[in-house]
Amino acid sequence: MQQQPPLQLGVLGSGKGSNFRAIAEAIDAGRLNAQVRIVIADVEDAGILDYARARGIRAEYLPPGRFRTKLEPEAEARLVALLREAGVDLVVLAGYMRIVKAPLLEAFPNRIVNIHPALLPKFPGLEAWKQALEAGAAVAGCTVHYVDSGVDSGPILGQSEVPVLPGDTAETLHARIQVAEHALYPAVLARLAAER
Ligand code: GAR
């Protein structure tokens, strides 16, 4: 059977980029038929940019502007232009801590995915693992979903559960969730790449 061309990914992040790393490793290992065209961060010294540069992947810092939770409209227009120029098919939010708005949603309809560190619809929003711990949940986990105009609310593509263990702190629980994230995200992307 002839292999399809790789799914062209544009990755957005704000932090250390461990999910991006897991995605890149899955591509290297032949488990995910994709190529990362560009990595864009709203934080200038984000580890995700360093990791992209170390791999020879185009890495761009995009100053977000004056808002804390979303991009300035000009910045979002620039984001769309960068992703389009790079030939991106699917936008992958990997620890991107901004809410995406109409310009990006309309430019990539049903072509933006996110990973969230909770079993959505439970615990949307910030530091979801802390929310799970504080609520006394026995089970936590992560969700990959399509992005829509709500906060962590689009159609769910896949979930992975992890136990909350006695003595867990926010840090130990998040670390366990991240191990699950690093398996789930590449697997869901591989499915999307195969189902085209
Ligand atoms: C991940 O745990 C991801 O689920 C979370 O940020 C972390 C990024 O880690 N995202 C959100 O909370 C989005 N609402 P990484 O930079 O190591 O991939």
Side-chain angles (χ1 to χ4, degrees):
M1 199 176 74
Q2 212 186 335
Q3 173 88 307
Q4 281 179 303
L7 186 62
Q8 304 296 314
L9 307 180
V11 177
L12 309 189
S14 307
K16 65 184 192 291
S18 69
N19 278 285
F20 166 54
R21 188 180 286 253
I23 290 164
E25 287 172 0
I27 292 171
D28 289 348
R31 285 184 277 118
L32 166 55
N33 180 25
Q35 195 176 355
V36 180
R37 302 300 301 224
I38 188 166
V39 172
I40 304 169
D42 60 331
V43 176
E44 197 165 12
D45 62 353
I48 194 170
L49 292 177
D50 296 333
Y51 184 64
R53 289 188 189 111
R55 293 186 63 107
I57 294 170
R58 185 176 169 199
E60 296 282 344
Y61 163 57
L62 181 70
R66 69 184 184 281
F67 301 117
R68 200 173 49 82
T69 59
K70 63 178 182 178
L71 293 173
E72 194 101 21
E74 294 73 24
E76 190 143 350
R78 173 86 185 119
L79 177 61
V80 168
L82 283 169
L83 292 165
R84 282 201 169 126
E85 281 162 29
V88 165
D89 300 322
L90 185 74
V91 180
V92 176
L93 307 189
Y96 191 62
M97 301 310 285
R98 301 213 171 236
I99 297 163
V100 302
K101 295 289 178 183
L104 185 64
L105 292 168
E106 285 167 12
F108 291 90
N110 296 316
R111 291 192 293 140
I112 308 173
V113 294
N114 180 44
I115 188 147
H116 182 75
L119 297 171
L120 290 172
K122 280 189 221 155
F123 313 123
L126 291 178
E127 298 189 318
W129 60 92
K130 270 192 196 163
Q131 298 183 49
L133 203 57
E134 281 161 14
V139 177
C142 52
T143 303
V144 176
H145 63 97
Y146 280 116
V147 173
D148 66 12
S149 59
V151 175
D152 302 322
S153 63
I156 289 174
L157 288 159
Q159 290 186 309
S160 180
E161 292 185 358
V162 302
V164 180
L165 299 179
D168 258 341
T169 62
E171 289 69 34
T172 59
L173 181 57
H174 190 209
R176 190 174 310 115
I177 291 170
Q178 285 228 285
V179 172
E181 290 184 337
H182 301 158
L184 180 68
Y185 216 174
V188 169
L189 293 174
R191 203 179 77 216
L192 293 180
E195 281 173 355
R196 280 173 291 164

